[in-house]
Amino acid sequence: MIGILFVFTNILTITLFKKVALKNIYINGAEFISIKDITENSSLQLPSRLIFIKTKLIEKELKQNLSIMQISINRQIFPFGLKIQIQTRRPVAFANREENGKTVAGFVDKNGYFIDNRYLPDKEKLIFPIKIIGWNKDYKKLISLIIKKYENNDDLQVIRISSEGFITLEEKFLRKIYLGSQIQELEEQLNLIFDIREQINEQKIRKKIKSLDLTDLTNPKIKVFIP
């Protein structure tokens, strides 16, 4: 028994110090994310000895750089290598962002995370009612808040964020809604939007709304089309 344990321990030690190559990477859950994507978006360098691969660091890097929902990387003895299990994000809106002076097209999930075109299968078939123009990582929580507020309403068409952080919504009912840059007031502004919508419907106001200005919550302004 001691001899068997000794042999097994030696095999385990030798295997842990073996070098992982491209052929030893096993990816599950995202066929459109390649080994090249993994190495280009993390500190993983191949070949590398299995025991020295920093799985938690690589998970953190890939989750951030590839906008992955969940990822787990495990060292394996049999079969030898790395097993990478990926759970991707589900897009709910089109989006674009500025990067090094260029416009990058992609998508956004309900939590406001940007998803690059490259990491979505059959993207040509995707159809969404909402587009986010000027996505910025500093505004992903706000984008998520807006998307979730309109989750059961298909009126929202555009979330526009200027380079200065001025937020404007475009929707079917109230047309343009100016929210401004006071991001700490966003939740209150969104609640007010739906209160105003409800009041207009209850009072059966027939004039078409041109815009709603909520940049000053103490003085909301509604403009209507004048015939």
Side-chain angles (χ1 to χ4, degrees), residues 49-71:
R49 298 190 189 281
L50 182 62
I51 195 170
F52 296 132
I53 294 176
K54 298 177 181 179
T55 56
K56 294 303 177 185
L57 173 62
I58 296 167
E59 285 175 1
K60 184 178 179 180
E61 292 169 338
L62 292 174
K63 194 171 182 180
Q64 178 178 333
N65 296 335
L66 299 184
S67 293
I68 293 170
M69 177 76 76
Q70 293 293 338
I71 181 169

Side-chain angles (χ1 to χ4, degrees), residues 30-207:
E31 295 178 3
F32 47 91
I33 293 180
S34 66
I35 296 173
K36 184 180 179 182
D37 294 325
I38 298 293
T39 55
E40 286 183 349
N41 289 278
S42 74
S43 56
L44 176 63
Q45 295 182 345
L46 299 174
S48 289
R49 298 190 189 281
L50 182 62
I51 195 170
F52 296 132
I53 294 176
K54 298 177 181 179
T55 56
K56 294 303 177 185
L57 173 62
I58 296 167
E59 285 175 1
K60 184 178 179 180
E61 292 169 338
L62 292 174
K63 194 171 182 180
Q64 178 178 333
N65 296 335
L66 299 184
S67 293
I68 293 170
M69 177 76 76
Q70 293 293 338
I71 181 169
S72 65
I73 302 176
N74 296 298
R75 300 182 187 90
Q76 290 189 156
I77 303 300
F78 306 106
F80 172 75
L82 290 179
K83 182 181 179 182
I84 302 176
Q85 186 69 39
I86 294 173
Q87 181 184 350
T88 55
R89 296 185 180 278
R90 187 172 67 85
V92 298
F94 295 108
N96 66 41
R97 61 185 173 90
E98 294 298 316
E99 186 178 286
N100 299 322
K102 295 182 179 179
T103 300
V104 179
F107 302 86
V108 162
D109 76 344
K110 69 177 182 179
N111 294 313
Y113 283 85
F114 189 88
I115 308 165
D116 195 292
N117 273 333
R118 293 176 294 169
Y119 307 122
L120 281 178
D122 302 324
K123 54 183 172 288
E124 297 81 7
K125 299 178 183 178
L126 297 175
I127 300 174
F128 302 112
I130 305 171
K131 183 172 185 179
I132 294 104
I133 299 172
W135 181 93
N136 185 303
K137 66 180 180 180
D138 296 332
Y139 291 87
K140 61 178 182 286
K141 287 185 179 179
L142 303 178
I143 292 169
S144 175
L145 190 63
I146 295 168
I147 288 173
K148 289 175 180 177
K149 186 68 177 180
Y150 278 88
E151 200 165 16
N152 299 314
N153 183 299
D154 63 357
D155 273 6
L156 183 62
Q157 296 173 311
V158 177
I159 301 171
R160 192 182 301 272
I161 304 171
S162 74
S163 56
E164 293 79 25
F166 192 99
I167 302 173
T168 305
L169 306 184
E170 295 176 22
E171 61 155 64
K172 298 174 187 175
F173 189 79
L174 294 171
R175 303 301 175 102
K176 282 196 174 182
I177 304 172
Y178 302 104
L179 301 179
S181 307
Q182 304 300 316
I183 56 178
Q184 68 273 14
E185 298 178 343
L186 182 60
E187 193 163 0
E188 189 177 350
Q189 288 172 320
L190 291 172
N191 289 333
L192 185 56
I193 287 170
F194 280 80
D195 287 343
I196 290 171
R197 288 164 62 98
E198 189 175 342
Q199 289 176 31
I200 289 173
N201 283 325
E202 285 178 356
Q203 295 176 23
K204 297 181 180 179
I205 297 173
R206 300 190 179 277
K207 288 184 178 180

Side-chain angles (χ1 to χ4, degrees), residues 6-32:
F6 177 77
V7 171
F8 178 77
T9 303
N10 278 348
I11 292 172
L12 181 61
T13 303
I14 292 168
T15 304
L16 283 172
F17 279 89
K18 280 177 63 178
K19 288 187 176 182
V20 177
L22 287 173
K23 64 180 181 180
N24 307 124
I25 306 292
Y26 309 97
I27 301 174
N28 295 321
E31 295 178 3
F32 47 91

